[in-house]
Amino acid sequence: MSGRAVDRPAGPSRRAVLGGAGAGLAVGAAGGAWGRRAWAQAPAADAGAALGGARVPFHGPRQAGIVEPAQARVEWAAFDLLSSTRRDGLAALLRTWSAAAARMAAGEPAAEGENQIALDAGPSSLTVTFGFGATLFDKAGLADRRPEALAALPAFPGDALDPARSGGDLWVQIGADDALVAVHALRVLVRLATGLAAPRWLMSGFARTPGATPHPMTGRNLMGQVDGTNNPRPQDAGFDAAVFATGPDWMAGGSYAVLRRIRMLLEGWDTLPLDRQERIIGRRKSDGAPLSGGPDAVERTPVDLAATDPDGVLRIAPDAHVRVAAAASNGGAAMLRRGFSFHDGLLPDGSPDAGLLFAAYQADPAHGFVPVQQRLARGDGLSRYLRHEASALFAVPPGAPEGGYVGQPLLEG
Amino acid sequence: MSGRAVDRPAGPSRRAVLGGAGAGLAVGAAGGAWGRRAWAQAPAADAGAALGGARVPFHGPRQAGIVEPAQARVEWAAFDLLSSTRRDGLAALLRTWSAAAARMAAGEPAAEGENQIALDAGPSSLTVTFGFGATLFDKAGLADRRPEALAALPAFPGDALDPARSGGDLWVQIGADDALVAVHALRVLVRLATGLAAPRWLMSGFARTPGATPHPMTGRNLMGQVDGTNNPRPQDAGFDAAVFATGPDWMAGGSYAVLRRIRMLLEGWDTLPLDRQERIIGRRKSDGAPLSGGPDAVERTPVDLAATDPDGVLRIAPDAHVRVAAAASNGGAAMLRRGFSFHDGLLPDGSPDAGLLFAAYQADPAHGFVPVQQRLARGDGLSRYLRHEASALFAVPPGAPEGGYVGQPLLEG
């Protein structure tokens, strides 16, 4: 793969330091050290500059915010076009949004819509990613160009979806290692949409702050579980084919993002004994090692679904999450997960409104998220502790070159 | 002042490196460099360890989380005692909470209630601060020991308070530079309260991630304004007397925290021209310099309320925020503000549910927050863009020594 923001040398990873306008250290995620924040490898002469100054270029063959490690803060915003907005209005919006995103990613003021919230800070690895929902195409007079891969997701057993927090004509994913930088970008983009599109829903999430762990490692979710061990890595064979689309024309090099707001029933989960939690997942909680591997196993020890204990009992339970997920993947399903935790206060019953902002990128959801979720919703012991409360599917077009904007080949093609 | 977490040498600040259990670098806020994160001065050999490993001791003469700079993430949680909880139950809860907070602040598992969310991370400057609401004292059979300073705050013009998000018997402030560390501590403390107290409301906020700016500086709020220039500093004359209480006995060395959830009407504010925003505040937006000081003024230039332009017009408008706030302070009112921004999605009308989680610490609210807010609510031009939606007042007891717990002198005295 030749994506702008990722380099994948076979040997030691190198940072992609790019020139261009704006101060700051321009770096991409290092494919050779997936899960590591490449800029943590930058000279540590000034720890401050390393975090704030880290810069992920907006322009490039692929949109930023897909293969880069999850930042400390994410904002998801869905927008609906106003009824008066036509194709030219949508093009104007995307042109304006792209220009503002490029400036902010470079550490420059957004100019239009600028409110100075982020004036003192560096871009802090800001990425802005745009997506198009199925409903966008009719409204913008582009129904004949809607990709088949944007077909509605099927209903899954156990779904408890809130339409008001699902779907949307447009999606923006904003990630940064500083919350004010992320919220600044959100406010700028909302203001720039005035008169053309209105926010439909917003969600905020978080992942590790760079440097919170002594060395880079797979993150944990709010169940306390190491989450993402088997996520495909850019250097893996077949990564590009699984994650990035080859068509239709304007989508070549793009991807499809499935979003699910998955609330965790933490009050039940947290009262389970540790061994019960581990049996439900199929991995040790302390380090993520598979239960099939014995005490010497580590996180990356391959899962052995056939392993039994001396009594002949399967070490990975029939309904363990890793077993059901693995079975689903046997058909070749693969997706790149890039989730964030959320914690939005209390529900009326006093339980925490918390869980996972799940995002999965794939070349085609029909061969990625859909078959996996069909199996998980039916057979995964973990499902009893999860509620899928919102869902969306967006086409994430390829990136824009300098001077261009995301979606230009669709809107001007 | 001799607080554990702050040292205030006249010369170059020194870090307070403390021994004790647990790995990590123990540092306090450096009084000689207020607004700077002292641990940013730590050896930068491993930028990661500097952020995650930064540790603020829980035990000491004053509670942590008052004079320390605001962390990147804050969780506020109010609890109400269950009707069955008596004084001994409250003592048991505070003992358990204090012990867990001390362990987590040292980077150790909380043991009881542990869910492993933060297992890989360092304490990341975690502080846990406990407060007692006026309603606690009757319920715990301590009505005769309720401090006079906990008298109900008066109603202020423009207040639009939601009782469900106001008040509370107990308050916990959790701050950390990693959101998972903060949320982990919240979950642990909620679980440890089971059977004794239940969450009443939760709020989450954020401030700058360490290193997001090239050098330490006063933060900005979601209006984009530099906010906190005139906050008192620990090295200022009179700081201790203004912020820390001398009684009653069990409160000596404690403080009183006024909390306000202040929603900002950003859709109106963000459409104001820059010069109008600056006139409302009385400071330049770009750098916080007072409008009375001309083009060469800087953030710290003293405000000259009498300065006029060549036409005789006051440079600081009659209803400018800095003028009204200064007038209120002339009577000697002083408080230490330690606020955070919040952004909680959209309101039903589509506007952002965002603003300031305002917190002010003072020796007595009647001589701190109350007179200032009485003036601001009436005369401050900024008030038109703010809605005070929730309010609370808590007695924040002094810190606990090793082996003790917060509130012990009240509950066992």
Side-chain angles (χ1 to χ4, degrees):
Chain A
M1 116 175 221
S2 57
R4 167 250 322 111
V6 173
D7 60 272
R8 359 179 358 212
S13 61
R14 59 185 167 82
R15 284 181 292 111
V17 180
L18 292 128
L25 181 68
V27 295
W34 181 251
R36 302 179 65 174
R37 297 180 169 273
W39 46 263
Q41 303 163 343
D46 183 340
L51 187 142
R55 179 159 68 87
V56 182
F58 174 78
H59 291 294
R62 288 180 180 151
Q63 286 199 68
I66 301 174
V67 298
E68 287 81 8
Q71 296 98 330
R73 173 95 179 192
V74 75
E75 303 289 336
W76 287 356
F79 292 80
D80 285 337
L81 294 189
L82 302 191
S83 59
S84 54
T85 302
R86 306 275 177 266
R87 177 170 169 169
D88 60 343
L90 175 60
L93 174 60
L94 290 167
R95 192 182 301 118
T96 308
W97 269 0
S98 291
R103 283 193 295 266
M104 292 188 288
E108 301 165 10
E112 290 180 272
E114 183 54 66
N115 52 25
Q116 306 195 16
I117 296 172
L119 196 64
D120 307 315
S124 307
S125 299
L126 175 72
T127 59
V128 179
T129 317
F130 298 108
F132 300 165
T135 51
L136 181 75
F137 294 81
D138 281 329
K139 294 184 184 178
L142 294 161
D144 58 329
R145 305 196 64 185
R146 178 169 43 225
E148 289 180 20
L150 269 189
L153 298 175
F156 300 100
D159 274 1
L161 304 182
D162 174 4
R165 293 192 289 184
S166 297
D169 295 340
L170 291 161
W171 175 57
V172 183
Q173 173 192 245
I174 299 165
D177 284 325
D178 178 77
L180 284 155
V181 168
V183 169
H184 167 253
L186 175 65
R187 286 293 302 153
V188 164
L189 298 179
V190 166
R191 288 198 62 209
L192 291 176
T194 304
L196 295 168
R200 177 181 172 87
W201 52 257
L202 301 183
M203 298 182 190
S204 294
F206 52 87
R208 278 266 177 263
T209 302
T213 55
H215 53 86
M217 54 207 314
T218 309
R220 290 181 189 268
N221 58 35
L222 293 189
M223 289 176 156
Q225 210 73 38
V226 174
D227 191 351
T229 302
N230 281 340
N231 217 14
R233 296 169 294 180
Q235 69 268 34
D236 292 345
F239 178 86
D240 280 16
V243 175
F244 293 102
T246 52
D249 54 351
W250 63 272
M251 269 295 289
S255 187
Y256 293 90
V258 173
L259 311 182
R260 309 282 282 190
R261 185 187 201 266
I262 305 177
R263 182 161 59 88
M264 295 171 169
L265 308 186
L266 291 178
E267 302 216 315
W269 176 262
D270 282 347
T271 56
L272 292 177
L274 179 63
D275 61 348
R276 179 84 185 107
Q277 293 182 351
E278 292 181 332
R279 218 177 72 86
I280 289 171
I281 302 290
R283 294 183 178 276
R284 265 202 307 261
K285 194 168 181 181
S286 61
D287 60 2
L291 297 186
S292 54
D296 296 334
V298 296
E299 182 192 348
R300 300 270 169 196
T301 299
V303 177
D304 178 0
L305 296 173
T308 55
D309 69 17
D311 298 331
V313 176
L314 285 167
R315 290 186 189 273
I316 307 283
D319 65 346
H321 179 74
V322 295
R323 178 182 295 278
V324 183
S329 301
N330 282 345
M335 52 186 169
L336 173 66
R337 287 171 291 150
R338 191 172 190 274
F340 296 83
S341 293
F342 72 89
H343 197 296
D344 290 343
L346 298 175
L347 293 169
D349 69 359
S351 62
D353 186 12
L356 178 67
L357 297 183
F358 172 95
Y361 292 86
Q362 58 255 288
D364 185 349
H367 300 107
F369 175 78
V370 171
V372 174
Q373 182 57 20
Q374 278 171 334
R375 281 185 179 267
L376 290 175
R378 285 191 176 82
D380 179 9
L382 186 60
S383 296
R384 288 192 297 279
Y385 298 93
L386 305 176
R387 287 288 179 279
H388 287 239
E389 297 188 328
S391 178
L393 169 60
F394 295 101
V396 176
E402 295 268 357
Y405 64 90
V406 171
Q408 188 168 14
L410 170 66
L411 286 151
E412 300 181 14
Chain B
M1 121 172 217
S2 58
R4 165 254 319 112
V6 172
D7 58 270
R8 1 180 355 213
S13 61
R14 58 185 169 81
R15 284 181 293 110
V17 179
L18 291 127
L25 180 67
V27 294
W34 180 252
R36 300 182 66 173
R37 297 177 170 275
W39 46 263
Q41 303 164 342
D46 184 339
L51 187 141
R55 179 159 69 85
V56 182
F58 175 78
H59 291 294
R62 289 182 178 150
Q63 287 200 68
I66 302 175
V67 297
E68 287 80 10
Q71 296 98 330
R73 173 95 177 190
V74 75
E75 303 288 337
W76 287 355
F79 293 78
D80 284 336
L81 293 189
L82 302 190
S83 58
S84 54
T85 302
R86 305 275 177 267
R87 178 170 168 168
D88 59 344
L90 175 60
L93 174 60
L94 291 167
R95 193 182 301 115
T96 308
W97 269 359
S98 291
R103 285 193 293 267
M104 293 188 287
E108 301 165 10
E112 290 180 90
E114 184 53 67
N115 52 26
Q116 305 194 17
I117 296 172
L119 197 63
D120 307 316
S124 307
S125 299
L126 175 71
T127 58
V128 179
T129 317
F130 299 108
F132 300 166
T135 51
L136 181 75
F137 293 80
D138 281 328
K139 295 184 184 177
L142 294 161
D144 58 330
R145 305 194 64 185
R146 178 170 41 225
E148 288 180 22
L150 269 189
L153 297 175
F156 300 100
D159 274 3
L161 305 181
D162 174 5
R165 295 191 289 185
S166 297
D169 295 341
L170 291 161
W171 176 57
V172 183
Q173 173 192 246
I174 299 165
D177 284 325
D178 179 78
L180 284 155
V181 168
V183 169
H184 167 253
L186 174 65
R187 285 295 301 153
V188 165
L189 298 179
V190 166
R191 289 199 60 208
L192 290 177
T194 304
L196 294 168
R200 176 181 173 87
W201 52 256
L202 301 183
M203 298 181 191
S204 293
F206 52 86
R208 279 267 177 260
T209 302
T213 54
H215 53 87
M217 55 208 310
T218 309
R220 288 181 190 268
N221 59 33
L222 292 189
M223 288 176 155
Q225 210 72 39
V226 174
D227 192 351
T229 301
N230 281 339
N231 219 13
R233 296 169 295 180
Q235 69 268 33
D236 292 345
F239 178 85
D240 281 15
V243 175
F244 293 104
T246 52
D249 54 350
W250 63 272
M251 268 296 287
S255 187
Y256 292 88
V258 172
L259 312 181
R260 309 282 283 191
R261 185 187 200 266
I262 305 177
R263 182 161 59 88
M264 295 170 169
L265 308 185
L266 292 177
E267 301 215 317
W269 176 262
D270 282 349
T271 55
L272 291 178
L274 178 63
D275 61 348
R276 179 86 184 105
Q277 293 182 351
E278 293 182 331
R279 217 176 73 87
I280 289 171
I281 302 293
R283 292 184 179 276
R284 266 203 307 260
K285 194 168 182 182
S286 61
D287 60 2
L291 297 187
S292 54
D296 295 334
V298 297
E299 182 192 349
R300 300 272 170 197
T301 300
V303 177
D304 177 0
L305 295 173
T308 55
D309 68 17
D311 298 330
V313 176
L314 284 167
R315 290 185 190 273
I316 307 283
D319 65 345
H321 179 74
V322 294
R323 179 182 295 277
V324 183
S329 300
N330 282 346
M335 51 186 171
L336 174 66
R337 287 172 290 150
R338 192 172 187 273
F340 296 83
S341 293
F342 72 89
H343 197 295
D344 290 344
L346 297 176
L347 293 169
D349 70 359
S351 61
D353 188 10
L356 177 67
L357 297 183
F358 172 95
Y361 293 86
Q362 60 255 289
D364 184 348
H367 300 107
F369 175 78
V370 171
V372 174
Q373 182 58 20
Q374 279 172 330
R375 282 185 178 267
L376 290 175
R378 286 191 175 85
D380 179 10
L382 186 61
S383 296
R384 288 192 297 278
Y385 298 92
L386 305 175
R387 287 287 178 278
H388 286 240
E389 298 188 328
S391 178
L393 169 61
F394 295 101
V396 176
E402 295 269 356
Y405 64 90
V406 171
Q408 189 168 13
L410 170 67
L411 285 151
E412 299 181 13

